[in-house]
Amino acid sequence: MAAAETINVSDDHGGSVAAYSQRWKGLAARGVNVRTVGKCQSACTVLLGYIPRSRICVTPAASFGFHLAHRTDMTAVLWNAYAADIRGWINAHGGLASQLKWMNAPDTYRYFHRC
């Protein structure tokens, strides 16, 4: 059996939530693994709704930056992509706002396995 493809995420500043949703949906259908080796912020974080947590690993430099989307309907897409425990972390850190909320190590290790 062939090894699954691994996508590295590093210094990804996001963009269109709709475009990122389509991208991650397609990659999830292919069964990719995601190695987070740097920043994944804004729309990039929608990957958490498509890629199973068992297929996501984080390095010590991994970080997730959460914030409100520019469009209210896209904020709902982001929010609904996050599992309840991730939403809990966001809420415990002030909720989604215009400023980024960064989840870094050691918090990332509570939610994702280390690479």
Side-chain angles (χ1 to χ4, degrees):
M1 196 167 163
E5 176 184 5
T6 298
I7 304 289
N8 285 326
V9 173
S10 175
D11 203 31
D12 192 322
H13 300 283
S16 163
V17 174
Y20 271 77
S21 291
Q22 285 300 103
R23 175 179 184 236
W24 289 114
K25 183 178 181 181
L27 290 169
R30 291 185 4 215
V32 301
N33 294 310
V34 174
R35 182 183 314 127
T36 310
V37 297
K39 291 180 181 178
C40 173
Q41 68 188 64
S42 192
C44 175
T45 63
V46 79
L47 79 88
L48 303 176
Y50 292 99
I51 306 298
R53 210 174 283 193
S54 63
R55 293 189 166 273
I56 300 171
C57 72
V58 295
T59 66
S63 61
F64 295 98
F66 303 100
H67 73 92
L68 293 169
H70 296 293
R71 291 178 32 194
T72 305
D73 59 329
M74 291 296 109
T75 294
V77 170
L78 285 173
W79 188 251
N80 291 328
Y82 307 143
D85 59 347
I86 300 295
R87 289 193 305 259
W89 182 93
I90 294 168
N91 284 334
H93 291 82
L96 290 178
S98 57
Q99 296 293 336
L100 287 165
K101 302 285 189 317
W102 287 103
M103 177 191 283
N104 303 295
D107 285 344
T108 52
Y109 302 145
R110 291 179 43 216
Y111 302 97
F112 307 98
H113 65 273
R114 296 179 195 212
C115 298

